[in-house]
Amino acid sequence: MNPTTSVETVEQGFSPQSLKKLPYSTVLTLAYQSLGVVYGDLSTSPLYVYKTAFSGKLSLHENDEEVYGVLSFIFWTLTLIPLFKYIFIVMSADDNGEGGIFALYSLLCRHARLSILPNQQASDENLSAYGMEGSADTWQSSALKSFFEKHPNYRNGLLVFVLLGTCMAIGDGVLTPAISVLSAVSGIRVKVTDLHQNYVVVISCVILVGLFSLQHHGTHKVAFLFAPIVTAWLLCISAIGIYNIIQWNPCIYRALSPFYMFRFLRSTGVEGWVSLGGVVLAITGAETMFADLGHFSPLSIKITFTFLVYPCLVLAYMGEAAFLSRHHEDIQRSFYKAIPEPVFWPVFIIATMAAVVGSQAVISATFSMVGQCCALNCFPRVKIVHTSKKIYGQIYIPEINWILMCLCLAVTIGLRDTNMMGHAYGLAVTTVMFVTTCLMCMVMIIVWKQSIITCVAFLMFFGSIELLYISASFVKVPEGGWIPLALSLIFMGIMYVWNYGTLKKHQFDIENKVSMKRIVALGPSLGMVRVPGIGLVYTNLVTGVPAVFGHFVTNLPAFHQVLVFVCVKSVQVPYVGERERFLVGRVGPKDYGMFRCIVRYGYKDLQQENYDFENKLVDMIIKFVELEGEECLTSPVTKASRERETVDGDSFDLPRPMFSYPNDGLNIVQSLSSTQAVKEENGVAENFPCREESAQIMRARETGLAYILGHSYAKANKSSSFLKRFAINVVYAFLCKNSRGPDVVLNVPHTSLLEVGMVYYV
């Protein structure tokens, strides 16, 4: 196997077809590498599970009912949620190899027309990643689709539900580093008993500041250490677990019987139910297995969890329970107290390193989720830095990184107690899992076409378990559980207001676009002087002439010889291949020199990075002109099928094929010169309209490009409600002012930028 293959395939993901062809050596390599990325959070849970579960009024009696009951709950929770739900069921619902809440929502949007993106086209369904093939609709799937089509408010409600899960997952990026690092560092007090808790907090904060300060370097520079650290950690805790079982209570295996769960609840009552908010911390990080599916193959993740992570965690929890059954007084320090004396310091060091690894994985996942939200118009535009030139998908967002660091330090300093952090953490984790369960149920009906009985059984079984843990976590809201709720409400408010304002802006653009009849009436000169060069008019519209163009020509007496209306849009798929990226067509008659170029990206694509976007765009237009003038070419070219674009009653040709940037290394001039050589060699006449137009575009390109962007200001109508006026005039205006402008996102050079100010009312 090529040594670089594993790294590239890990980060770029796989198509469903390629997953079936992976050799066993590659699968095993991926399984090993997934340890450092996927399981850091899940594997460090033993640091604080028992401590948090017994942090309330739950007291240990002389018998071991509580210890056995908590162990039984931990074992069956680990078995039912991560193993049965995620490994055997949820991981099969990938979106072209991608997983997570957005992947499930993307599947539903494509199959049930739930898309939140306003500029979708029928031609988008021709994308190879769209994947609409499948069996015929059942009456259940048809009924559910019809329900959402007839009730737009429920579509908005589903969006809010998805945003809730996303915001809770982002909250994990705050809570995971805090609780993991503080729990690991707290172990030092077992040996240094007179060390004050303040020093533990300070040490934890220093580690956290260092962790967030290194994010801009990217994880690829230290990623080779992650898998060995997590592997060593899992082997350590499983070996210590076996030692404690043999040393303290060889009969602890009896607690694996579900009978002990019922005895636990019966004997402890309400206090036992409340303690489940700590038990659920045993499965923190389970959602990461599905969220990071695109970086690995499903088989590799299944192998790693089933044959290494799961048995190691079970042995670790059994060993700690065996120790507790003989040392009730050590419940708040049970993990470190259970470590044999000779290996304490090596395990302490590995535990701290594993906590950092687990935190790193969650932080990186937060960056990825925010990037997806930006692509789907659900989050203000932020700076996205790609930290690796070789590894696709590793990003760093400075604004989010420093916000996370400040929030994480505030939680660490403010709470100072892993028990209170655990209460907050449990609520965030269980909410994300419940959102996944509900979306998964809809996917089973709409996409998989399963029977309603199967889907309801899935929802009732796993949903009831998760609701049980959510209810237990809600009791702890006053004791720390309010933190994820507050963070989620803030992030949800930002996301929903941004999405609402963006949709209203698009609606304004549609309602105020320039009439094509008016453009045609102006003639080829558009009623003004046409100066040399190419004008790129950026717009959100995929059809019609944007209002910003009409506003521009009203105030300036000249415009460029070649006009290109560029629409950069996201499609409800994870990735769009380079050969399907561009969609090029004409606007108006041929002698107007007006084109439209639609540039499509998936929600996990890197927009306009690592290539010369302008040259590609111009090359696509020239290729379109050459194909359009097919009668000028002597080489056999398949005639492009056409669809008609109708704008204001007039139709214009728009090619259906997506013209991709040539992969043979030929630049624009070489392409034109080779075409000319072929024509002269075959004695073809000199007067080729297509060649003349191509040469004209090339000359315009050499003259220079100008970028025309609309700078819109949103204002609420005076008749709007107070809430709407506050959302638009205050919140949305603040977000627009402090987010990155479209010129920065699109990498537009300032020397060639023209901004057209407009005010629109919503």
Side-chain angles (χ1 to χ4, degrees), residues 438-458:
C438 295
L439 293 177
M440 188 65 204
C441 181
M442 295 180 62
V443 168
M444 294 173 70
I445 296 175
I446 295 176
V447 182
W448 290 0
K449 310 296 192 299
Q450 296 294 316
S451 67
I452 193 69
I453 297 177
T454 303
C455 301
V456 170
F458 172 85

Side-chain angles (χ1 to χ4, degrees), residues 331-354:
I331 187 63
Q332 288 300 306
R333 299 182 180 182
S334 59
F335 177 81
Y336 283 107
K337 283 286 189 177
I339 299 175
E341 185 70 23
V343 297
F344 177 85
W345 288 111
V347 174
F348 172 78
I349 295 173
I350 295 176
T352 304
M353 296 173 66

Side-chain angles (χ1 to χ4, degrees), residues 619-681:
D619 195 15
M620 291 301 101
I621 295 173
I622 293 177
K623 289 172 69 66
F624 166 76
V625 170
E626 292 178 349
L627 284 176
E628 190 182 40
E630 184 180 349
E631 66 277 3
C632 298
L633 300 177
T634 57
S635 58
V637 178
T638 304
K639 183 174 179 60
S641 58
R642 307 280 182 181
E643 65 179 1
R644 307 296 290 178
E645 177 192 12
T646 303
V647 182
D648 298 330
D650 291 25
S651 297
F652 304 93
D653 283 335
L654 182 66
R656 182 168 297 172
M658 288 51 123
F659 302 106
S660 64
Y661 192 64
N663 296 321
D664 54 6
L666 296 178
N667 60 29
I668 300 171
V669 178
Q670 290 174 322
S671 176
L672 291 173
S673 61
S674 63
T675 303
Q676 171 69 8
V678 172
K679 294 170 184 176
E680 292 178 353
E681 181 181 348

Side-chain angles (χ1 to χ4, degrees), residues 514 518 546-556 755-759:
V514 180
R518 177 186 171 190
V548 63
F549 175 75
H551 194 61
F552 183 84
V553 299
T554 302
N555 292 275
L556 290 178
E755 286 190 319
V756 183
M758 295 186 68
V759 177

Side-chain angles (χ1 to χ4, degrees), residues 263-579:
R263 292 181 59 179
F264 172 77
L265 292 178
R266 185 178 61 187
S267 62
T268 58
V270 175
E271 295 303 329
W273 165 62
V274 172
S275 71
L276 297 182
V279 171
V280 76
L281 299 181
I283 55 174
T284 57
E287 181 75 21
T288 310
M289 292 190 296
F290 183 48
D292 287 337
L293 188 61
H295 292 201
F296 304 93
S297 68
L299 181 58
S300 64
I301 293 180
K302 291 178 180 180
I303 289 174
T304 306
F305 181 80
T306 306
F307 296 103
L308 179 61
V309 178
Y310 177 75
C312 287
L313 289 177
V314 170
L315 288 173
Y317 287 118
M318 289 178 63
E320 192 170 346
F323 175 83
L324 281 176
S325 65
R326 299 294 183 266
H327 304 82
H328 295 171
E329 69 282 358
D330 293 327
I331 187 63
Q332 288 300 306
R333 299 182 180 182
S334 59
F335 177 81
Y336 283 107
K337 283 286 189 177
I339 299 175
E341 185 70 23
V343 297
F344 177 85
W345 288 111
V347 174
F348 172 78
I349 295 173
I350 295 176
T352 304
M353 296 173 66
V356 173
V357 171
S359 303
Q360 173 64 61
V362 176
I363 294 170
S364 300
T366 303
F367 293 156
S368 179
M369 283 186 290
V370 172
Q372 294 175 33
C373 291
C374 291
L376 296 177
N377 295 331
C378 289
F379 200 85
R381 294 178 295 267
V382 292
K383 181 180 181 180
I384 298 179
V385 179
H386 306 287
T387 57
S388 175
K389 296 181 180 179
K390 297 181 180 179
I391 302 176
Y392 188 85
Q394 288 191 356
I395 64 174
Y396 163 69
I397 304 178
E399 297 95 331
I400 301 301
N401 181 68
W402 302 123
I403 290 174
L404 287 180
M405 187 190 76
C406 293
L407 292 175
C408 190
L409 292 176
V411 169
T412 305
I413 297 173
L415 297 183
R416 310 168 62 85
D417 182 11
T418 56
N419 293 332
M420 295 186 68
M421 293 181 188
H423 301 152
Y425 198 14
L427 182 58
V429 169
T430 50
T431 303
V432 174
M433 292 181 177
F434 182 70
V435 171
T436 299
T437 298
C438 295
L439 293 177
M440 188 65 204
C441 181
M442 295 180 62
V443 168
M444 294 173 70
I445 296 175
I446 295 176
V447 182
W448 290 0
K449 310 296 192 299
Q450 296 294 316
S451 67
I452 193 69
I453 297 177
T454 303
C455 301
V456 170
F458 172 85
L459 178 63
M460 293 297 294
F461 182 74
F462 292 107
S464 60
I465 296 175
E466 289 155 359
L467 285 176
L468 175 65
Y469 285 121
I470 289 175
S471 64
S473 300
F474 256 110
V475 177
K476 296 293 185 177
V477 166
E479 301 178 21
W482 59 270
I483 295 177
L485 290 178
L487 291 176
S488 297
L489 288 176
I490 294 173
F491 280 112
M492 279 183 64
I494 293 173
M495 289 183 177
Y496 190 80
V497 169
W498 183 263
N499 178 258
Y500 178 80
T502 304
L503 292 179
K504 288 298 181 181
K505 180 180 182 300
H506 185 269
Q507 183 180 346
F508 173 86
D509 290 339
I510 292 177
E511 295 173 352
N512 293 273
K513 60 186 177 182
V514 180
S515 169
M516 184 56 65
K517 292 181 179 179
R518 177 186 171 190
I519 295 294
V520 173
L522 293 174
S525 67
L526 300 180
M528 64 190 69
V529 178
R530 299 294 291 270
V531 298
I534 298 178
L536 302 181
V537 183
Y538 281 88
T539 172
N540 293 323
L541 299 179
V542 295
T543 60
V545 178
V548 63
F549 175 75
H551 194 61
F552 183 84
V553 299
T554 302
N555 292 275
L556 290 178
F559 213 86
H560 299 85
Q561 183 181 9
V562 179
L563 296 177
V564 184
F565 297 103
V566 183
C567 175
V568 180
K569 72 170 190 175
S570 295
V571 188
Q572 206 82 45
V573 296
Y575 301 103
V576 176
E578 283 297 319
R579 300 191 63 82

